[in-house]
Amino acid sequence: MEPFTLRQDPTAIALCRALFPAGKRLPAADTDALLSRMDAQLANQTGLQRSLKAGLLWLDNRHRLVRGRAFHRARPTQQQRFLDKLATTPVSGKLLRLLALPFKAAYVLDEQVEQATGCRQPVQLPAQVETFRWQQQITAARDCDEDMTLEADVVILGSGAGGAAAAYELACRGLAVVIIEEGQYYDRSHFTGKLTEVIPKLYRSWGATVATGNAIIPVPVGCNVGGTTTINSGTCMRTPPSVLQRWREQGLGAFTEQAMAPWFEGVERMLSVQQATTETVGPIGDLIDRGAAANGFLQRQPLMRNAQGCDGQGLCQFGCPTDAKQSTNVSYIPRALERGAFLFSGFRAERLQRQGNRITGVIARGQNADGRPITLSLTCQQTIVAMGSLFTPLFLRQQGVRNPHLGRHLTLHPAGVVNALFPDRDLANSRSIPQGYGVSDWEEQGLMFEGGTIPLAGHSLLNPLVGQDWVRFTEDYPHTAYFGFMIRDTSEGRVRRGPRRGLPLIRYHMNRQDFALFKRGIHALACWYLDAGAEQVLIPGLNRIVRIHNRTELERFLRSPLKPKDFLISAYHPLGTARIAASPRDGVCDSRHRVFGYPGLSVMDGASVPTSLGANPQVTIMAMASRAANMMARELLNDTDSTHTPPQGEYA
């Protein structure tokens, strides 16, 4: 029996032609070349092959049910009309989008399509990347020949914002620190800007972590040395004073502005935090500035970022190709390794070793280049879990930690986006940073406006359109403005074990208060665009794109019966699933991040943040972890000097 190939499947050929007709600038799809590329990519993915084959069979039968013949036997105009109608149906529309997604991806990720839509030139990779002595402190599982047994003062599970900052603080005090990271270490030579290459390297489960409830909310997280800091937009904000006050009201009295200031300052020095430049922000900054000013907003400014020397390539979420963005893989981790820490990459923590409830070590496992399992056994005085808000609670629960708050109180900072079409302006979307401008007048009310430009692939794949409408929408990418907002949510979700290790079950229901705030953000952004001269405002949703031409249409739309699922919502800041609290009645860890009832075990990552922030959280997480690690170091070293402040050295 011959293997299934898309290139020879008549339904795949017909679907490809119907999805990608010729536009004004984009050519009709070269079906033979496109399907050949897809066949090559699917060669070893039998599961996806079977899914596509089943989807194509469904499309043929769905058309036969309505029109009396298979889809591939209909005339091209009939096929296009059928897809247009099918895309608007609630169930079949979703199935069609799933089926069309790999075809759309293959089309839009072609270099000719990228050039036709004004995208940047391909990333120029360095011919040779510098090597440093600290890289000798990294051991990859793939390079190991035998099992290892080691001793350390502190073992840290995770190398993101919390784990890396803690490692640096502890190593600065002369302690023996070992960092365990499930992902691999990559340098800038790996950050090619090609999404099909970098997403599987840097993202957990290809970025498919999703919260479900009364909306479907993608929550992408990283899995690499650097964690999610490698793939975030680089925005740096301190914890708002009102949030610190709320923590103190909850019994966390040590979190005063004065007490936290030196920790914030230490983080900002390490990350070289400074305001984004006008050149890297791009034209979107001017549009938003004019529109917000016309509506009476005063606090308009470029955002603070950790990317000194940024050249504006706009690839922050896919690994910075110049190392300008100071994610932890180029800031905290190298500085910790310079001070004697060790990093083991490609190892997954499997089990905590214990004596009673006291944690005494960690068993981690990886796989070498020959596919042989490698076991890393560590004994230590302290273990820090820093796997992130989605995975820290699952790991702790798997290890027998019992606390009713574990995995609960998940906040997300749900983010909305509004687009607008400016046909006569090149907005340089692929040649400017994705998040460089902000408007903060409503910050105290829980609404923060920030840039949210996405690459061409996101623009073209995250919409329900098909056929001619999709081609036209893709061609409009250079003229489509992207800006968004996030809310300081009062809603709370929960994380449970999912169908497989890398895909947790995330449940989150946006409450009425938060949804009202969300709609207020939509209204404000739409008004800004209209007053900045937009031809039309686009409000994207999972099932449709609403087009607004004036305020009357906007008011009518927002008065209609709407639900969270009617909007395109995403989230990038999961927090609170192992939160610190004054007592075990209210949280999982104490104010020093020690897990209640389990000596030798701490949590230092987004999971330990006690409430939603309403601000991008990496500075908060790093400052909290640095503070907690400093107290841990003093305890281990019997140092009673309570006046110690963050290191003031060269990289502090």
Side-chain angles (χ1 to χ4, degrees):
M1 183 177 179
E2 292 187 7
F4 169 75
T5 60
L6 294 170
R7 184 167 170 262
Q8 296 177 336
D9 186 89
T11 308
I13 295 170
L15 176 62
C16 195
R17 289 172 177 165
L19 286 175
F20 312 120
K24 292 181 179 179
R25 292 191 303 276
L26 291 176
D30 181 339
T31 56
D32 189 68
L34 188 149
L35 295 177
S36 294
R37 289 199 305 272
M38 291 183 67
D39 281 330
Q41 294 166 355
L42 295 170
N44 298 315
Q45 302 186 47
T46 55
L48 190 51
Q49 283 182 355
R50 286 195 294 267
S51 297
L52 281 173
K53 186 175 181 179
L56 293 168
L57 180 62
W58 164 80
L59 182 63
D60 254 350
N61 289 333
R62 187 71 173 78
H63 190 276
R64 183 180 286 111
L65 182 66
V66 177
R67 303 295 182 187
R69 66 173 70 178
F71 177 79
H72 71 271
R73 295 188 180 279
R75 292 193 298 272
T77 54
Q78 293 174 328
Q79 292 169 345
Q80 290 182 12
R81 285 199 299 269
F82 177 75
L83 292 184
D84 288 340
K85 186 174 182 179
L86 196 65
T88 63
T89 60
V91 177
S92 293
K94 291 183 175 64
L95 294 175
L96 176 61
R97 285 196 290 280
L98 286 174
L99 174 61
L101 188 62
F103 293 89
K104 288 181 176 181
Y107 178 85
V108 81
L109 292 175
D110 181 77
E111 287 188 9
Q112 290 183 338
V113 172
E114 291 180 337
Q115 292 173 9
T117 51
C119 290
R120 53 165 178 76
Q121 294 296 314
V123 172
Q124 298 298 312
L125 295 175
Q128 187 174 1
V129 175
E130 310 92 326
T131 57
F132 302 94
R133 289 186 63 183
W134 56 262
Q135 291 171 324
Q136 299 174 14
Q137 305 286 100
I138 302 175
T139 300
R142 61 174 175 264
D143 298 329
C144 296
D145 295 323
E146 57 186 18
D147 297 343
M148 293 170 284
T149 300
L150 302 171
E151 293 184 7
D153 293 318
V154 184
V155 173
I156 301 174
L157 309 180
S159 63
Y168 172 69
E169 181 68 24
L170 293 162
C172 282
R173 300 299 299 272
L175 292 166
V177 177
V178 171
I179 308 162
I180 306 297
E181 170 56 53
E182 181 180 351
Q184 302 295 338
Y185 170 75
Y186 300 104
D187 60 41
R188 64 193 180 101
S189 68
H190 297 95
F191 302 151
T192 63
K194 296 180 180 179
L195 272 60
T196 53
E197 294 179 4
V198 297
I199 287 178
K201 288 178 180 176
L202 302 180
Y203 282 74
R204 170 84 62 175
S205 301
W206 282 70
T209 40
V210 174
T212 58
N214 58 351
I216 297 175
I217 306 177
V219 192
V221 293
C223 184
N224 60 84
V225 173
T228 302
T229 71
T230 309
I231 59 169
N232 70 18
S233 295
T235 302
C236 293
M237 298 178 178
R238 294 188 179 191
T239 315
S242 60
V243 173
L244 292 176
Q245 180 179 344
R246 181 182 174 192
W247 294 359
R248 294 194 298 274
E249 292 169 354
Q250 294 175 349
L252 298 169
F255 288 89
T256 65
E257 292 176 62
Q258 182 179 7
M260 291 302 295
W263 301 107
F264 290 140
E265 291 164 4
V267 171
E268 290 162 353
R269 283 193 298 271
M270 172 66 82
L271 302 185
S272 301
V273 173
Q274 58 186 259
Q275 199 170 49
T277 64
T278 302
E279 293 76 20
T280 57
V281 169
I284 186 65
D286 175 63
L287 287 178
I288 293 299
D289 186 69
R290 288 194 288 112
N295 284 269
F297 286 77
L298 302 177
Q299 298 177 38
R300 318 179 309 272
Q301 62 279 316
L303 293 170
M304 303 299 289
R305 303 183 71 243
N306 63 345
Q308 186 177 19
C310 171
D311 62 0
Q313 293 192 53
L315 293 169
C316 309
Q317 300 107 321
F318 308 106
C320 179
T322 66
D323 280 349
K325 189 181 78 168
Q326 294 297 291
S327 44
T328 61
N329 60 309
V330 297
S331 56
Y332 278 103
I333 290 295
R335 305 295 85 79
L337 300 185
E338 286 174 346
R339 287 156 175 78
F342 288 88
L343 169 64
F344 290 83
S345 64
F347 283 91
R348 177 189 292 133
E350 297 281 356
R351 181 164 55 88
L352 295 177
Q353 301 189 82
R354 55 203 294 175
Q355 294 177 353
N357 277 355
R358 174 172 288 280
I359 306 305
T360 60
V362 178
I363 302 295
R365 291 189 173 87
Q367 193 175 75
N368 69 9
D370 297 327
R372 189 169 70 83
I374 301 294
T375 298
L376 174 62
S377 302
L378 295 141
T379 57
C380 58
Q381 298 183 63
Q382 295 285 338
T383 299
I384 298 172
V385 183
M387 298 177 173
S389 295
L390 302 184
F391 294 93
T392 285
L394 299 183
F395 177 74
L396 292 178
R397 189 175 295 278
Q398 180 189 10
Q399 301 307 309
V401 174
R402 294 293 176 259
N403 184 297
H405 299 281
L406 191 59
R408 297 180 181 270
H409 311 297
L410 173 69
T411 61
L412 293 176
H413 288 164
V417 62
V418 180
N419 307 131
L421 191 60
F422 293 85
D424 299 326
R425 293 203 62 171
D426 180 359
L427 297 177
N429 285 333
S430 68
R431 304 187 301 280
S432 50
I433 57 180
Q435 191 173 84
Y437 201 80
V439 180
S440 57
D441 294 60
W442 292 351
E443 179 184 9
E444 286 302 310
Q445 300 171 50
L447 197 55
M448 179 69 190
F449 295 93
E450 298 177 333
T453 303
I454 60 178
L456 173 65
H459 173 81
S460 298
L461 300 180
L462 298 177
N463 68 75
L465 304 175
V466 294
Q468 193 67 59
D469 289 340
W470 184 85
V471 171
R472 190 179 304 113
F473 186 80
T474 298
E475 289 179 325
D476 284 338
Y477 175 66
H479 314 294
T480 302
Y482 273 86
F483 211 76
F485 59 87
M486 65 179 177
I487 62 174
R488 186 174 66 237
D489 43 339
T490 60
S491 309
E492 291 186 349
R494 186 174 183 181
V495 182
R496 293 187 178 94
R497 183 178 177 181
R500 62 182 181 87
R501 189 188 295 266
L503 283 175
L505 179 61
I506 311 168
R507 296 290 292 173
Y508 183 89
H509 186 95
M510 184 183 286
N511 63 31
R512 291 183 179 181
Q513 176 182 336
D514 289 347
F515 187 47
L517 192 61
F518 186 92
K519 289 189 292 184
R520 190 181 181 195
I522 295 287
H523 180 270
L525 265 180
C527 289
W528 298 356
Y529 281 137
L530 291 171
D531 288 343
E535 179 183 277
Q536 56 181 288
V537 172
L538 311 176
I539 302 177
L542 287 175
N543 299 315
R544 61 172 179 162
I545 297 175
V546 176
R547 297 178 183 269
I548 302 293
H549 300 86
N550 52 58
R551 292 197 181 218
T552 301
E553 293 179 358
L554 176 63
E555 300 294 344
R556 185 185 306 123
F557 166 69
L558 290 174
R559 283 197 304 268
S560 64
L562 296 169
K563 298 179 180 179
K565 66 180 181 181
D566 295 321
F567 295 90
L568 192 63
I569 305 175
S570 56
Y572 308 93
H573 307 149
L575 301 169
T577 52
R579 67 186 186 184
I580 62 172
S583 78
R585 294 190 302 273
D586 301 311
V588 176
C589 306
D590 66 16
S591 63
R592 298 176 65 169
H593 293 241
R594 300 173 299 191
V595 177
F596 288 117
Y598 295 85
L601 182 63
S602 299
V603 173
M604 299 183 193
D605 60 14
S608 59
V609 177
T611 67
S612 182
L613 299 172
N616 298 57
Q618 69 173 341
V619 170
T620 294
I621 295 169
M622 291 171 176
M624 290 178 67
S626 298
R627 169 187 173 274
N630 173 257
M631 289 187 286
M632 177 182 288
R634 293 209 310 267
E635 180 181 346
L636 290 172
L637 297 170
N638 294 317
D639 182 355
T640 59
D641 178 12
S642 61
T643 64
H644 177 72
T645 56
Q648 304 293 317
E650 179 182 358
Y651 300 105

